[in-house]
Structures are given as structure tokens and as C-alpha cells.
């Protein structure tokens, strides 16, 4: 229980009730106000920090009701396990579909969650890119360059980080793409060997994408494999990096869902569903775009499309067989990723 409580970071003032009290939100709602608990992955923190106050103002004007937010930011896999284990988030904003599926399996989220919001309940997109020191001193242009002797590579641990799973998927998929060009078909053995060659140069496996980025900022490593939005957001604030878009990389899609069991317990379904829908509004999508995410709203995306080039070999999760296949092939106890870790 203590570990769950420590996950919760109260960011906006005036919360009044602690998330440790299961009836806090319901009690607040009975007084005309409402507390909404957000469990999110770490990379979304900056964008949500701008979106939440705007939703507060929107909801106050629409209903007269004051919304107070309690927020927790962790690596996506860690956050999903915390919610499944009793952290009573009303809304989950996570890195990958598989982490929402963990909440479905725990009986907390409706099995039809992807049908409850636009774009299959994906609120943002991104791609996996490479970040180098300013000027790209090692001449890094592709995932293949990460296999060169002496290149120190950073990406987080896929056991805890959804971002890391995207990173590993991108590298493995780039290996499949290369095998298609040379052999005329996808070769899983060649893709595994490619992933092994990159992992031999790993400098650090951090618990989240945000932690990996922090390590890179402190001077660890030569190249970071990360979300495009993470680098764009840092570079917009003056960070001295170069962003390298590999020709072969993966399209990232980030989901959000109402946690049905907890909103029903707290009496917060109406405001939670409204907040989820608000994430798709042009106002919220513009904030995501300004924080480096690729917006799912096409009009907002078109406004920023020069910032977001489409790599010639871009692929999505379906190229790897979909999430069910990826979880089985790469991340099961005998999967390719764990074989790479074990040197099998």
C-alpha cells in the first residue's frame, strides 16, 4: 500500500482529499466539486501539465464544477502495474496499448475501450528516433550505426518502460526491413542478430524513457534511442542535441482510457469521460504538438506537418504482427528480447 501511495504526486493545489482515501473523489463530487486522479506515463508529464488547467477552465465554464487533479507519472509499465495493483486512477494515459490491456485483464477497464474515443483511443503519435550530441560527432544516421564498435547507446528497460518496448520494436523491425531488402522476405533470425548487435553497445538500461533522457542529459552515452517528442521538447528548450530520423522506424501510438472500476467507485465517470474526450480537441492536440507529439487531429497535424517528416521505411505495430504477436515473440519469458539479454 505504501508503494502505491508513493506513486502519487499531487501537482495542482487545493486537492483537499488524499488519493489514499478511496471515497475522496465521490465526497468532493457531493460538495459540487470533483477530484480526478490521473495515472500517466512519464513522457506525457509536460504536455499534461499544460492541458489539465485548460480542462479545469473548460469544465468550470461548462458545468460550474471545480475539478482538482491528482497526478502520478511513472514509466508506463510501472504505472499500469500500480493501477492494476490498487492505485485508483480514474484515467490512464499510457505509452502503449498493451499496458491498457493489462488493466482490461485486471477487470478494471472495459474490453471495448478502444471504441470509446476517437482514433481507437490513441491520443497522440510519435516515432522512434535517435538523439546524438550536437553536431552528430559520430556520424550516426541509422540503427545500423548503433552496432559500430565503441558507440555507447542508451534506451530504457522494456520490463518497466513502454517507451523501451517501442524502442526495441523499432530496432527489431528495422532488422526485419533490412532482411527484406537483402533476402526478399522477413527473417526473424536476422532481426534478432541485429537487435543483439545493437544491445552489445548498451550503456544503460533505465526504468523509463524520461529517466533515460535524464541520463543522456547528464552526459551518459553517445546516442539515445527515444521518442521523437522527447527530443523535440528538449531541443525547443535549448538542449544541444541533433535529432536523427532513421529511414526504417516505427510509428508510435499512445492510448488513454477511463478506468471503469475506479470511476464508478469514485462517482467520477462523467468528468473522466469528458476529460478523455477533451484530449482530442484541437486545443489539447495543439498543446501535444507544441510538446513534440504528432497530433491525431488531422487539422492540427497539417499545421505542423513540416516538423514531422515521414520516413520512407516507416512501419507500424501491425508490421510486427500486432501487439499480441509482439508480446509473445519478443517479450514473453522465452521471447527474443529475453534471449538477447541472456545471450542465448
Amino acid at each position: 500500500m505504501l508503494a502505491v501511495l508513493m506513486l502519487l504526486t499531487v501537482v495542482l493545489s487545493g486537492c483537499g482529499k488524499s488519493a489514499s482515501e478511496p471515497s475522496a473523489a465521490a465526497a468532493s463530487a457531493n460538495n459540487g466539486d470533483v477530484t480526478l486522479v490521473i495515472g500517466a506515463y512519464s513522457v506525457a508529464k509536460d504536455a499534461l501539465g499544460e492541458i489539465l488547467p485548460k480542462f479545469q477552465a473548460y469544465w468550470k465554464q461548462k458545468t460550474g464544477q471545480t475539478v482538482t487533479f491528482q497526478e502520478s507519472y511513472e514509466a508506463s509499465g510501472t504505472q499500469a502495474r500500480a493501477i492494476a495493483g490498487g492505485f485508483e486512477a480514474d484515467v490512464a494515459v499510457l505509452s502503449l496499448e498493451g499496458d491498457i490491456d493489462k488493466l482490461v485483464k485486471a477487470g478494471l477497464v472495459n474490453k471495448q475501450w478502444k471504441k470509446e474515443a476517437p482514433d481507437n483511443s490513441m491520443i497522440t503519435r510519435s516515432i522512434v528516433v535517435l538523439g546524438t550530441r550536437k553536431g552528430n560527432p559520430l556520424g550516426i544516421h541509422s540503427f545500423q550505426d548503433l552496432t559500430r564498435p565503441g558507440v555507447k547507446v542508451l534506451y530504457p528497460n522494456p520490463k518497466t518502460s513502454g517507451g523501451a518496448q517501442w524502442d526495441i520494436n523499432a530496432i527489431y523491425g528495422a532488422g526485419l526491413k533490412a532482411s527484406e531488402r537483402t533476402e526478399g522476405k522477413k527473417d526473424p533470425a536476422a532481426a534478432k542478430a541485429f537487435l543483439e548487435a545493437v544491445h552489445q553497445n548498451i550503456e544503460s538500461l533505465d526504468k523509463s524513457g524520461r529517466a533515460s533522457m535524464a541520463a543522456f542529459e547528464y552526459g551518459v552515452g553517445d546516442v539515445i534511442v527515444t521518442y521523437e517528442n522527447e527530443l523535440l521538447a528538449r531541443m525547443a528548450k535549448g538542449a544541444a542535441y541533433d535529432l536523427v530520423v532513421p529511414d526504417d522506424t516505427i510509428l508510435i501510438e499512445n492510448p488513454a482510457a477511463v478506468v471503469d472500476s475506479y470511476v464508478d467507485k469514485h462517482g467520477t465517470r462523467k468528468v473522466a469521460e469528458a476529460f478523455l474526450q477533451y484530449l482530442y480537441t484541437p486545443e489539447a492536440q495543439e498543446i501535444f504538438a507544441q510538446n513534440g507529439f504528432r497530433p491525431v487531429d488531422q487539422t492540427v497535424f497539417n499545421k505542423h506537418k513540416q516538423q514531422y517528416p515521414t520516413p520512407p521505411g516507416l512501419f507500424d505495430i501491425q508490421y510486427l504482427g500486432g501487439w499480441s504477436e509482439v508480446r509473445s515473440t519478443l517479450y514473453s519469458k522465452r521471447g527474443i528480447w529475453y534471449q538477447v539479454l541472456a545471450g542465448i
Side-chain angles (χ1 to χ4, degrees):
M1 184 64 176
L2 181 59
V4 170
L5 294 179
M6 290 177 67
L7 279 170
L8 192 59
T9 303
V10 179
V11 175
L12 299 181
S13 61
C15 291
K17 295 284 184 179
S18 165
S20 64
E21 301 173 55
S23 61
S28 181
N30 290 336
N31 293 327
D33 298 334
V34 61
T35 297
L36 201 64
V37 183
I38 308 296
Y41 72 109
S42 58
V43 174
K45 182 176 183 178
D46 293 342
L48 289 177
E50 297 180 44
I51 289 171
L52 300 186
K54 290 188 177 295
F55 177 78
Q56 282 180 314
Y58 158 78
W59 193 248
K60 182 74 172 179
Q61 183 179 26
K62 180 179 174 69
T63 68
Q65 189 176 47
T66 298
V67 179
T68 298
F69 287 99
Q70 294 181 338
E71 305 157 56
S72 167
Y73 298 96
E74 284 286 340
S76 186
T78 301
Q79 190 68 270
R81 285 190 293 274
I83 296 170
F87 167 46
E88 296 185 1
D90 297 301
V91 178
V93 180
L94 300 177
S95 174
L96 61 145
E97 181 179 325
D99 284 338
I100 300 289
D101 286 340
K102 292 175 185 175
L103 306 184
V104 174
K105 291 178 181 178
L108 300 174
V109 170
N110 189 320
K111 292 179 181 179
Q112 302 299 315
W113 67 273
K114 292 180 72 175
K115 297 181 179 180
E116 294 178 350
D119 294 287
N120 289 320
S121 291
M122 304 298 161
I123 57 170
T124 53
R125 299 187 180 105
S126 191
I127 60 174
V128 173
V129 299
L130 306 175
T132 74
R133 305 300 173 186
K134 189 66 176 178
N136 195 0
L138 298 183
I140 302 296
H141 300 291
S142 68
F143 288 117
Q144 181 65 46
D145 291 330
L146 305 189
T147 68
R148 288 170 10 203
V151 176
K152 298 176 181 178
V153 179
L154 292 182
Y155 46 70
N157 189 338
K159 183 177 181 180
T160 57
S161 168
Q165 290 191 28
W166 284 118
D167 298 340
I168 299 304
N169 294 348
I171 297 168
Y172 181 77
L176 288 177
K177 285 277 188 178
S179 70
E180 278 192 300
R181 286 191 290 269
T182 58
E183 303 174 31
K185 62 179 181 179
K186 295 179 185 177
D187 183 348
K192 177 189 174 185
F194 184 67
L195 180 57
E196 286 174 326
V198 173
H199 190 69
Q200 285 178 356
N201 284 341
I202 194 70
E203 182 77 357
S204 176
L205 277 177
D206 296 291
K207 75 171 186 175
S208 71
R210 183 54 57 92
S212 188
M213 195 72 234
F216 191 63
E217 288 179 342
Y218 284 127
V220 179
D222 301 312
V223 186
I224 184 169
V225 184
T226 189
Y227 287 8
E228 175 186 53
N229 54 278
E230 270 283 77
L231 282 176
L232 288 175
R234 293 293 193 280
M235 292 167 69
K237 295 178 181 178
Y241 306 133
D242 277 9
L243 187 155
V244 176
V245 179
D247 284 350
D248 297 328
T249 192
I250 196 167
L251 178 69
I252 294 168
E253 294 182 294
N254 310 120
V258 169
V259 186
D260 295 281
S261 292
Y262 295 149
V263 297
D264 289 341
K265 180 178 181 179
H266 300 160
T268 54
R269 177 173 289 278
K270 182 178 179 180
V271 67
E273 290 180 345
F275 175 71
L276 181 62
Q277 293 298 323
Y278 183 80
L279 296 176
Y280 297 92
T281 64
E283 183 175 44
Q285 289 287 301
E286 178 64 29
I287 292 172
F288 281 126
Q290 291 174 4
N291 280 269
F293 291 93
R294 297 184 176 219
V296 295
D297 182 283
Q298 192 61 46
T299 300
V300 178
F301 179 81
N302 290 341
K303 180 180 173 181
H304 296 270
K305 64 182 179 180
Q306 289 187 339
Q307 182 179 344
Y308 300 117
T310 300
L314 185 66
F315 55 92
D316 62 16
I317 196 66
Q318 295 306 317
Y319 177 75
L320 304 181
W323 275 112
S324 178
E325 176 68 19
V326 166
R327 284 193 293 270
S328 174
T329 301
L330 265 72
Y331 303 116
S332 65
K333 290 183 179 180
R334 296 184 180 182
I336 289 170
W337 168 249
Y338 293 100
Q339 292 176 30
V340 169
L341 280 182
I344 299 174

